[in-house]
Amino acid sequence: MSRRSVLPAAAGIGLAALLMSGCTPATTSSSEQDGRLRYLIEEQEDPEFLSTIEAHIDDFEEENPGITVEVEAMPFDTMRTVLQTQLQAGDAPDVFNWGSGPSFAGALAEAGLLYDLTDAYEEYDWPIYEFAKERVTVDGKLIGIPGDLETIGIYYNKQIFEDLGIDEPQNLGDLEAAAATILEAGIIPFAVSDQEGWQAGHLLSMTLSSKVGSEGIAALVEGEESWTSPDVLESLSLWKEWQDAGYLPEFPTSISYDSGAALYYSGEAAMLPTGSWFIPEVAANTEFESGYIPFPSEDGRGIFTAGLGSGPLVAANTDNAEAALTFVDFMVSEEHGRWAIENLGTIPPYPVDTEGVEALPLLKQVIEDTATFASGDADLGTNIDVVASDAFNQAMYDGFQGIFTGQQTPEDVAAALEAAARS
Amino acid sequence: MRTSTTPPVTRRAQARLGLALVVPLVLIIAVFFLFPLGNALYYSLLDYNGVNPTPPFVGLANYVELATDPALLPALANNILWIVVGTAAPMLIGFALALLMWRVRRGSTFYRIALFLPYILPTVAVGVVWGWIYDPIRGWLNAALRGIGLGGLATGWLGNPDTALYAVLATAVWTATGFVFVVLLSSLQNVDSELLDAARMDGANGAQRVWYVVLPQIMPVFLMILTLTLVGGFSVFDIIFVMTGGGPANATEVLGTYAYSSAFQLNRISYGTALALVISVLAIPFAVALNRLQRRLSLQGMGT
């Protein structure tokens, strides 16, 4: 299961809770000006995660005598309420990892609870990707460090492609031709699953991002463009057409995320549309080599849809601003980036030279691809479900299930999306 | 008159005792029933999103919206289907099994345990395992169908809007039948065998003996189980939530899952509360009517 399914719902509650807590910013911080920092992070499923990160922080402390960092970890849901109460009580950690989206860090910033990092960005010259920087900019101020990058694209089985004489698709036409060839060979082209429903957000984000770019999606989300526009309709219809053509498993709505992945692992399906967070799983469960490409557009390779995880933020009322900034600087360092790739399998939001880094080849390739996309003029798409409302997401999830089961047409779904966006 | 002969001291003591006996129950009802009910009523009149400390008062707006909500009727229709099939099927199957097992001695413990087991398994576990059975690719249901040449019937059971509700319902019937079976089987032990013998000598066939002799004698128990299964049908939630989450695209949505998704997925706590209250109100008349029927039958001397 992906944690993505939890995120949108949690975001809504978190936003409101944090806005409330933001009404009364406290004036004192827990630790005095003595170089002692409290750093709060989200607990991970991996039981070794905490000791790994503590060892990493020991390195930081060695390099920076006089600063000690006390790590606290708690589950995501608990963290939301604890942050809220601690911020209210003036007992917040100096640095904490929290989502960098508008409903997370954005809400805190609006309540005046975050340390303005605009000057620090200039002073330390942090090499964060421009698109990621934009997502932590609120009212012209840089309010945090973006979290790890997560992209959504298509994994493909290189073995099957090679056996069938298919090259890596360079545009949508190539991809469709590949799907037709794969289907002819008796293999399911795309391991699309939609039992849980949230996969719809990724499917639509992918096709729409490559069609209209991040600005096009922003226009849709902000209501400047209608969800009944031809671009959205075509993006919805595409999945319907592919289902009718037999490119998807027979009953996508009966297939869970894990079952869909299993189809890809076993070679029963040749491609798997999902995100970069799945690289370790794909590598661990397959004998063959996988490629990972963005969803192509009509005239080109298309763009990766990208989201950001939780990144370090500094509390506005920290007594250890200097130490906190030194620590944040460490979290944006080449050293930290290489460590994160090796130990956490995550993609830093800034360029990292992966030469000599011990990581899965696919992860390295994705990091390099991402760097090309993110640092150049190329665009990165938007994962719709993290920027849209709960009601909209529900309409999107129901809509795709409706399309896949023939209960709704793409036109019905587009109208429902538009209605949900306006409500 | 009795009251005039009782000394006032005794009467006061009796009143105190009565009060002392009643107060705990009244408190329990007040704390665990009346207060939550009042609270729910209050929240259903607000527009509460779960976090806002001062939610606006909206009066009956939630109920007005409910009345015009296009998603409500399909959910209610699913509930009714669930209530009818989900009550009738376990009652019939459970009763039939109980009759079959009535006179069986050898292996009866085994059958009783085997049939009762599904009822005591955690619903979540049942839902997950049946989800695997229904899986279109790896599930054994489709595999079995293909194996016996009925591959044309194979489908994505839980993802096909035409079959999803029935597939979940079949699982629910599987779990509920064991309960009906065990309770009815034990009540059958109280059926007067002399009456049965008499009926047999009078030439009553099997069906007639069941209908005219057995059923009337176990009627109160039968009605009690009927009430439990029926009322449970209104509040069904867990198994649907686990197996389909109300999907695909609301095809298996019932009032319970709809209330949940309104309250906790869309953060409309008040709307979900209003829905939950409507569910309760719908279930009350059935519970009361069946209870009355049961009492009347007992007073008529039917049953044991």
Side-chain angles (χ1 to χ4, degrees):
Chain A
M1 269 294 288
S2 162
R3 61 205 149 104
R4 244 122 300 273
S5 53
V6 203
L7 213 54
I13 303 170
L15 165 65
L18 290 166
L19 276 174
M20 284 182 344
S21 69
C23 302
T24 50
T27 47
T28 54
S29 173
S30 56
S31 41
E32 297 305 316
Q33 181 94 41
D34 56 3
R36 266 176 50 209
L37 288 178
R38 279 172 61 209
Y39 176 43
L40 178 66
I41 51 173
E42 187 187 322
E43 211 167 78
Q44 305 290 320
E45 274 177 42
D46 180 3
E48 283 173 27
F49 169 74
L50 196 59
S51 54
T52 312
I53 202 151
E54 275 171 345
H56 181 52
I57 283 173
D58 286 345
D59 293 344
F60 166 77
E61 287 173 343
E62 246 168 64
E63 289 166 29
N64 296 275
I67 304 180
T68 52
V69 182
E70 194 185 314
V71 186
E72 300 165 20
M74 53 183 71
F76 178 78
D77 289 326
T78 319
M79 191 159 161
R80 194 196 317 141
T81 38
V82 168
L83 254 185
Q84 176 191 344
T85 41
Q86 290 195 340
L87 285 165
Q88 259 171 342
D91 189 31
D94 302 278
V95 183
F96 50 93
N97 270 26
W98 195 236
S100 35
S103 49
F104 287 77
L108 290 179
E110 272 170 35
L113 291 165
L114 294 183
Y115 192 92
D116 183 355
L117 293 176
T118 314
D119 294 340
Y121 264 89
E122 212 158 287
E123 191 190 328
Y124 289 97
D125 199 18
W126 289 325
I128 308 282
Y129 295 132
E130 274 308 315
F131 94 94
K133 239 155 103 175
E134 275 168 30
R135 295 194 191 178
V136 288
T137 306
V138 174
D139 296 333
K141 289 182 198 161
L142 287 155
I143 47 124
I145 304 296
D148 314 311
L149 270 171
E150 286 174 336
T151 64
I152 303 176
I154 298 175
Y155 292 84
Y156 70 92
N157 183 324
K158 282 191 171 173
Q159 189 63 51
I160 294 179
F161 271 55
E162 200 186 304
D163 292 347
L164 298 176
I166 309 170
D167 292 327
E168 187 172 282
Q170 298 300 315
N171 55 50
L172 191 56
D174 283 358
L175 185 66
E176 288 184 315
T181 312
I182 292 164
L183 182 66
E184 234 168 84
I187 299 168
I188 302 168
F190 298 96
V192 168
S193 65
D194 194 27
Q195 191 186 65
E196 292 89 347
W198 51 258
Q199 291 91 332
H202 298 166
L203 297 179
L204 185 60
S205 298
M206 244 189 284
T207 42
L208 207 49
S209 287
S210 285
K211 209 175 214 350
V212 301
S214 62
E215 280 179 18
I217 291 193
L220 283 162
V221 170
E222 278 151 29
E224 292 158 17
E225 190 68 55
S226 167
W227 287 94
T228 54
S229 72
D231 286 329
V232 178
L233 258 180
E234 281 169 29
S235 298
L236 291 166
S237 304
L238 178 116
W239 291 104
K240 175 74 190 147
E241 286 157 19
W242 284 8
Q243 187 192 20
D244 292 343
Y247 295 168
L248 313 186
E250 217 176 334
F251 310 103
T253 51
S254 323
I255 298 174
S256 66
Y257 185 61
D258 291 337
S259 301
L263 284 176
Y264 178 75
Y265 298 155
S266 67
E268 285 163 89
M271 291 180 269
L272 175 68
T274 188
S276 60
W277 60 86
F278 222 51
I279 291 173
E281 269 96 333
V282 167
N285 288 292
T286 52
E287 302 277 311
F288 53 83
E289 215 180 306
S290 288
Y292 179 67
I293 54 170
F295 190 92
S297 64
E298 267 153 47
D299 48 12
R301 291 194 66 212
I303 59 175
F304 278 114
T305 295
L308 297 164
S310 298
L313 312 176
V314 180
N317 54 18
T318 175
D319 286 329
N320 290 306
E322 212 173 303
L325 290 180
T326 311
F327 183 58
V328 168
D329 183 46
F330 171 72
M331 304 297 279
V332 191
S333 63
E334 176 89 13
E335 179 191 350
H336 174 76
R338 290 166 72 96
W339 172 86
I341 295 168
E342 276 187 359
N343 293 280
L344 308 179
T346 54
I347 308 171
Y350 49 90
V352 173
D353 183 8
T354 55
E355 186 72 40
V357 172
E358 274 179 41
L360 296 165
L362 188 59
L363 181 63
K364 276 182 155 178
Q365 181 227 312
V366 170
I367 289 167
E368 278 157 31
D369 282 0
T370 312
T372 329
F373 272 100
S375 57
D377 302 323
D379 190 16
L380 275 168
T382 311
N383 191 5
I384 298 168
D385 62 20
V386 291
V387 292
S389 70
D390 296 327
F392 181 89
N393 286 336
Q394 195 65 51
M396 179 162 67
Y397 302 163
D398 286 349
F400 263 76
Q401 288 193 331
I403 289 177
F404 284 148
T405 54
Q407 298 178 92
Q408 292 176 49
T409 63
E411 286 77 12
D412 296 336
V413 176
L417 291 179
E418 177 67 12
R422 296 281 160 274
S423 70
Chain B
M1 297 292 280
R2 211 161 60 105
T3 42
S4 60
T5 58
T6 315
V9 181
T10 313
R11 254 191 292 155
R12 275 200 297 276
Q14 279 175 342
R16 273 201 300 274
L17 177 66
L19 211 61
L21 289 174
V22 164
V23 159
L25 186 66
V26 169
L27 271 181
I28 287 173
I29 290 179
V31 171
F32 293 106
F33 181 70
L34 292 179
F35 173 71
L37 185 66
N39 208 22
L41 275 171
Y42 171 65
Y43 272 99
S44 74
L45 302 177
L46 306 176
D47 181 15
Y48 183 50
N49 63 2
V51 277
N52 185 353
T54 52
F57 185 83
V58 295
L60 293 175
N62 284 320
Y63 293 94
V64 173
E65 191 186 337
L66 257 183
T68 54
D69 189 339
L72 190 71
L73 277 185
L76 186 61
N78 283 343
N79 258 102
I80 291 170
L81 182 80
W82 188 279
I83 290 163
V84 173
V85 180
T87 306
M91 291 301 289
L92 286 175
I93 301 171
F95 186 47
L97 286 171
L99 286 174
L100 277 175
M101 289 293 302
W102 189 8
R103 301 284 185 226
V104 175
R105 290 284 167 268
R106 190 188 296 186
S108 84
T109 313
F110 169 78
Y111 289 116
R112 256 182 279 185
I113 291 174
L115 288 166
F116 191 62
L117 206 57
Y119 180 71
I120 54 168
L121 292 175
T123 311
V124 175
V126 169
V128 169
V129 172
W130 275 81
W132 294 338
I133 293 173
Y134 287 133
D135 187 294
I137 293 154
R138 313 239 183 272
W140 68 248
L141 182 57
N142 277 356
L145 284 171
R146 291 193 182 102
I148 57 172
L150 290 175
L153 292 179
T155 183
W157 297 98
L158 295 175
N160 180 342
D162 298 330
T163 58
L165 188 63
Y166 296 99
V168 181
L169 198 46
T171 307
V173 169
W174 178 74
T175 60
T177 299
F179 172 68
V180 177
F181 161 73
V182 165
V183 176
L184 287 184
L185 184 63
S186 63
S187 76
L188 282 178
Q189 309 307 326
N190 295 328
V191 168
D192 192 339
S193 55
E194 283 176 17
L195 284 177
L196 270 179
D197 291 339
R200 192 179 286 127
M201 277 157 72
D202 287 343
N205 64 26
Q208 287 168 327
R209 287 203 299 277
V210 168
W211 186 254
Y212 294 108
V213 182
V214 176
L215 209 50
Q217 294 194 62
I218 61 165
M219 195 44 92
V221 177
F222 197 85
L223 284 179
M224 186 261 300
I225 304 176
L226 187 67
T227 314
L228 287 177
T229 337
L230 196 68
V231 173
F234 281 97
S235 56
V236 57
F237 169 76
D238 45 6
I239 195 151
I240 295 182
F241 184 72
V242 171
M243 292 182 74
T244 64
N250 304 329
T252 57
E253 197 88 284
V254 289
L255 295 176
T257 55
Y258 188 50
Y260 174 85
S261 67
S262 299
F264 300 110
Q265 286 171 340
L266 300 179
N267 298 322
R268 301 189 63 200
I269 306 277
S270 288
Y271 193 63
T273 309
L275 247 169
L277 284 170
V278 168
I279 300 171
S280 316
V281 168
L282 284 176
I284 289 171
F286 286 89
V288 171
L290 280 163
N291 196 291
R292 288 231 173 115
L293 184 63
Q294 190 181 351
R295 207 164 30 183
R296 211 174 59 215
L297 290 175
S298 307
L299 289 177
Q300 284 170 357
M302 298 178 80
T304 47

